[in-house]
């Protein structure tokens, strides 16, 4: 399904827990809101055009990465970020969550009766 956005269009290609793939078409000069995801990674792969990814690091540093066709970058959970197209751009946007080995909280130690 294609969804209209103020900056262009987004089409969901595949969704299965814990992964989503969208194909985005971004107008020249179009940009998304500055936002962050609490638990999801956000990846970007450019097919055509040029996409500028701005990431506000928790240290106060602002990183800007320019992606051209065939180039990829990702943004970890918890960091504010935004994409902007310097020209009409087609890209793939990925979302995923990681399972971590340290996600268990124990009360007691178990045992044998």
């Amino acid at each position: 399904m294609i969804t209209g956005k103020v900056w262009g269009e987004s089409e969901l290609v595949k969704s299965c827990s814990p992964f989503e793939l969208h194909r985005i078409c971004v107008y020249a000069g179009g940009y998304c809101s500055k936002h962050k995801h609490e638990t999801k990674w956000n990846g970007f792969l450019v097919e055509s055009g040029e996409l500028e990814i701005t990431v506000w690091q928790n240290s106060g540093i602002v990183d800007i990465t320019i992606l051209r066709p065939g180039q990829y970058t990702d943004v970890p959970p918890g960091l504010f970020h935004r994409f902007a197209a310097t020209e009409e751009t087609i890209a793939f946007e990925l979302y995923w969550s990681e399972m971590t080995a340290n996600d268990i909280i124990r009360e007691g130690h178990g045992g044998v009766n």
Side-chain angles (χ1 to χ4, degrees), residues 28-93:
Y31 60 93
C32 72
S33 64
K34 178 181 176 182
H35 66 282
K36 68 178 178 177
H37 305 279
E38 292 295 323
T39 62
K40 293 188 293 189
W41 285 77
N42 199 176
F44 301 92
L45 174 65
V46 172
E47 180 180 308
S48 64
E50 187 175 272
L51 201 61
E52 179 180 289
I53 309 298
T54 303
V55 179
W56 286 264
Q57 300 291 338
N58 291 329
S59 64
I61 293 173
V62 178
D63 288 327
I64 298 174
T65 302
I66 306 294
L67 298 176
R68 294 177 180 86
Q71 294 181 320
Y72 172 85
T73 194
D74 53 40
V75 180
L79 295 180
F80 279 99
H81 58 283
R82 175 174 59 209
F83 64 76
T86 56
E87 58 189 71
E88 189 168 314
T89 300
I90 296 174
F92 290 92
E93 188 174 18

